[in-house]
Amino acid sequence: MFKNAQIYRLQKNWAITAEGLARHLAPQAFTPLGSLDMQCMGWVPARDSSNGFVHMVNRQFLLRLQTEKKILPQSVINQVTRERAKELEEQQGFPPGRKQTKELKEQVTDELLPRAFTRLSSMWVWIDPVNGWLVADSSSPAKAEEALKLLFKAVPKFPLETVRTVMSPGAAMTDWLASDEAPESFTVDQDTELRSTAESRATVRYVRHTLEADQIRQHIETGKQCTRLALTWADKISFTLAENLSIKKIALLDVLKEDHEISGKNADERFDGDFMLFAGEMAKLLSALVAALGGELPDNIERDGQGRITEGAA
């Protein structure tokens, strides 16, 4: 279901029902763009066959945030503005000034917006109140923040925090490569990125390439740190871990899908089965990943610039 994961910590056993959460989200229901609006977003049912904003299966919540955006390139606005400015110059005998040009640009934008094409996109949000996770299916933290802002606005005292681990993902991935040893239940795959911590920010990428331990160590010894690493967990899920603890390229492996094959079901039952499979295995993966990074960091502890706990902290 999800291809990406921006991961956040939710208070475990959060005392809210799917119906209660749906009531909070109802005022933020998606409404199509107005003729002069550039962008709008809001919640839509996770399934077209459902009227609710919260789809629940086995105490797991699934939300879908929909965004509609006008496609009006700045280059088009600038081109039409220049043409209008030239016409205005011929009429008044002198070129428009800065204020007049700004007003002209705003007028052109208002005229073009109703005729602009629109693009619809959606983002899945999985809430696991049992194990305390919230995951947004976005490759960009900024996009995920858009969903979080709506949730914070809709739900009073929404109990969400960032995930802080004892060892930073960048430092941990670098150590795994340097020792040529992945943590328990994980294996290292063939994609990685190493970037210099020096001002040059020199970067080396391996794509579908066998990672030779000696070569990788040479890069690390020259000051490079791993910023992205392809991994497989328990022979069930492959993914790429980034230095900010986000996950990309999530793929459930065939052995897992075969074990949970759902046949003879209708579309809604297959959807629920897929969601149950994803949520159950992903929750285990997140717990294993946090454990591989040394566990969660208490609020009163900080890490140094190398991603490790500062000396003397306790």
Side-chain angles (χ1 to χ4, degrees):
M1 297 189 69
F2 285 42
K3 298 299 182 183
N4 308 284
Q6 301 295 329
I7 307 163
Y8 304 90
R9 217 3 151 177
L10 185 71
Q11 178 182 311
K12 289 185 179 181
N13 296 312
W14 181 33
I16 193 168
T17 63
E19 294 78 9
L21 180 56
R23 284 195 297 270
H24 286 303
L25 300 183
Q28 298 176 342
F30 175 80
T31 303
L33 271 175
S35 60
L36 296 179
D37 295 326
M38 195 68 186
Q39 177 176 300
C40 69
M41 62 178 60
W43 304 104
V44 295
R47 292 288 291 164
D48 294 336
S49 58
S50 171
N51 294 321
F53 293 114
V54 180
H55 187 77
M56 184 179 73
V57 182
N58 196 28
R59 299 178 66 195
Q60 302 294 304
F61 301 161
L62 185 65
L63 318 179
R64 184 156 62 109
L65 180 67
Q66 184 157 290
T67 301
E68 185 177 17
K69 186 175 182 179
K70 290 280 181 69
I71 304 173
L72 184 56
Q74 192 65 40
S75 59
V76 174
I77 297 175
N78 292 339
Q79 179 183 340
V80 177
T81 301
R82 285 194 296 269
E83 293 171 356
R84 297 284 180 84
K86 187 176 180 180
E87 294 173 359
L88 187 59
E89 181 180 356
E90 293 175 353
Q91 293 173 8
Q92 63 188 17
F94 57 89
R98 180 178 299 177
K99 181 180 179 182
Q100 200 173 20
T101 300
K102 180 181 178 183
E103 293 173 349
L104 193 60
K105 189 173 185 178
E106 291 173 350
Q107 179 184 342
V108 167
T109 302
D110 289 344
E111 291 178 5
L112 294 177
L113 269 176
R115 292 181 283 162
F117 291 105
T118 62
R119 178 173 60 199
L120 280 173
S121 61
S122 61
M123 179 196 310
W124 294 111
V125 177
W126 163 46
I127 297 177
D128 177 3
V130 178
N131 299 295
W133 299 110
L134 184 146
V135 173
D137 183 9
S138 172
S139 60
S140 162
K143 290 292 184 182
E145 289 291 333
E146 293 177 351
L148 297 186
K149 286 177 183 178
L150 288 180
L151 288 170
F152 280 123
K153 186 177 180 180
V155 183
K157 298 181 180 179
F158 190 60
L160 196 68
E161 300 175 350
T162 56
V163 182
R164 302 168 68 244
T165 53
V166 170
M167 182 173 263
S168 73
M173 292 187 295
T174 303
D175 283 354
W176 300 340
L177 289 176
S179 64
D180 194 22
E181 185 176 351
E184 184 180 358
S185 76
F186 290 90
T187 55
V188 173
D189 296 332
Q190 293 185 316
D191 291 12
T192 191
E193 176 183 278
L194 298 106
R195 184 187 306 138
S196 174
T197 56
E199 187 176 349
S200 66
R201 308 294 284 174
T203 302
V204 175
R205 293 186 181 93
Y206 290 82
V207 180
R208 293 187 295 275
H209 192 289
T210 301
L211 305 183
E212 299 292 346
D214 291 341
Q215 292 181 358
I216 296 296
R217 289 193 192 98
Q218 288 177 9
H219 288 301
I220 294 173
E221 289 169 0
T222 59
K224 292 185 179 68
Q225 187 174 59
C226 184
T227 56
R228 188 174 299 179
L229 183 63
L231 297 162
T232 293
W233 168 74
D235 295 327
K236 294 181 177 181
I237 303 176
S238 67
F239 63 97
T240 298
L241 177 64
E243 60 183 338
N244 63 353
L245 196 54
S246 65
I247 294 176
K248 299 181 180 182
K249 299 182 179 180
I250 299 172
L252 274 62
L253 302 185
D254 290 341
V255 63
L256 182 59
K257 290 185 285 188
E258 289 170 2
D259 288 345
H260 294 77
E261 187 69 31
I262 299 174
S263 59
K265 305 291 185 179
N266 60 38
D268 288 336
E269 290 172 328
R270 286 197 300 272
F271 182 88
D272 287 352
D274 288 343
F275 178 45
M276 287 178 61
L277 172 60
F278 167 80
E281 297 300 332
M282 196 67 184
K284 297 174 187 176
L285 165 59
L286 295 180
S287 295
L289 182 58
V290 168
L293 296 173
E296 295 188 62
L297 195 64
D299 293 338
N300 60 335
I301 302 296
E302 297 296 332
R303 290 194 298 252
D304 63 15
Q306 299 300 314
R308 295 172 174 81
I309 296 177
T310 53
E311 186 176 354

